Every structure is written in C-alpha cells, then in structure tokens.
Amino acid sequence: MCVLLLAAPAFAQPGEEAQPEPDAPEQAGPAVPEQTAEDGPDSGMPVYVKDRELFRLYTGGELVSLEERVRVVEDRLALISPPSFQARKLKSESDETHASLKYGSLVLVRFTQEDAARAGKERAALAEQTREILTEYFVSEQERLSQAPVRQ
C-alpha cells in the first residue's frame, strides 16, 4: 500500500489545479505528432550531397540519433557515381511500416511514418518525391560532367 501512495498523483485542493510530480515521466504523446509551424517540411535535418540539400529527415532510428541517420544516408548517397548513375536502378518501395528508397540492392533511406507526417505526405509519396529529386540531381550532375572540358 505504501508504494501505491507514493505513486499516486498529487491531488489539488478545491479551486487549485493538480500539479504533476517534478520527477514524474512525461505522458507519451501520439505515435505521429501533429504538424506545427516548427515541425513542418522545413524542420528536421537536411541531407546533403556535395553541399546541396536534397531532402530532409525528421527522426532518428531505433538505435541511432537523427544526426547519425542523416550521416549514414549521406554516406550511402556518396557511393553513387554521377557518371555511371542509372535512373532505372533508383526505386521506391513501401510496406506497412516504412517506405524505402533503393539504388540497385543498396537501401539508401527508409522513411518512417513520422518523417512522412512532418513532411506533410504519405510515406510512399515521400519516397517517390525523393526518388524524383535524386534522379533529377544525378542526371543534372551527369550532364554537367559530360559538358566539362577535358583537362590534359
């Protein structure tokens, strides 16, 4: 019984609001947070390729921080060589919990429901939009490199 009394919430006197205990854990929020001005498409952390922001991620993974997740995605994108890029190899895939973007067999990024909600899109639509952005980027890099003068 003593444990129940210690764990019981503080009760307010008539006319006062009950105050939570200072060390009480916060209540878990909804699985997908509501989008606000601060949590919109311009929040999150940008993913860069060669100093160009291509898209954003909004949450860390189960075992990694948001910063680490972004770094891993950037490292994977750096493995794609613009001169040998093939748009047909860049595909988006979806299942019940994630939408993925792959280049060949390499998973570049997995989008969570929270990523999608904070971007204001469905997971599959976010993956497809990102596929289009990456295709445009790599094709423009191919064109730029093909027009560069050859140094001797």
Side-chain angles (χ1 to χ4, degrees), residues 6-10 19-27:
L6 292 174
Q19 298 295 319
E21 293 182 55
D23 294 331
E26 292 183 24
Q27 295 290 327

Side-chain angles (χ1 to χ4, degrees), residues 55-119:
F55 59 96
R56 289 176 176 259
L57 295 176
Y58 300 91
T59 62
E62 291 179 20
L63 301 174
V64 298
S65 66
L66 175 58
E67 293 80 6
E68 178 69 10
R69 182 176 175 221
V70 166
R71 188 192 63 73
V72 167
V73 171
E74 289 174 340
D75 289 349
R76 289 177 182 177
L77 289 169
L79 296 172
I80 301 173
S81 170
S84 61
F85 174 75
Q86 297 175 32
R88 65 179 173 76
K89 291 175 105 179
L90 187 60
K91 299 185 186 286
S92 60
E93 300 176 352
S94 296
D95 63 26
E96 301 82 37
T97 59
H98 292 86
S100 300
L101 197 57
K102 291 176 144 186
Y103 186 70
S105 62
L106 175 66
V107 175
L108 299 172
V109 61
R110 285 193 172 105
F111 294 101
T112 65
Q113 183 60 36
E114 188 171 345
D115 289 323
R118 291 184 55 190

Side-chain angles (χ1 to χ4, degrees), residues 15-60:
E16 295 179 357
E17 288 187 31
Q19 298 295 319
E21 293 182 55
D23 294 331
E26 292 183 24
Q27 295 290 327
V32 177
E34 289 185 28
Q35 186 172 335
T36 66
E38 292 178 357
D39 285 344
D42 293 332
S43 67
M45 186 171 227
V47 173
Y48 290 96
V49 174
K50 295 191 180 190
D51 298 325
R52 181 171 163 194
E53 179 182 333
L54 296 180
F55 59 96
R56 289 176 176 259
L57 295 176
Y58 300 91
T59 62

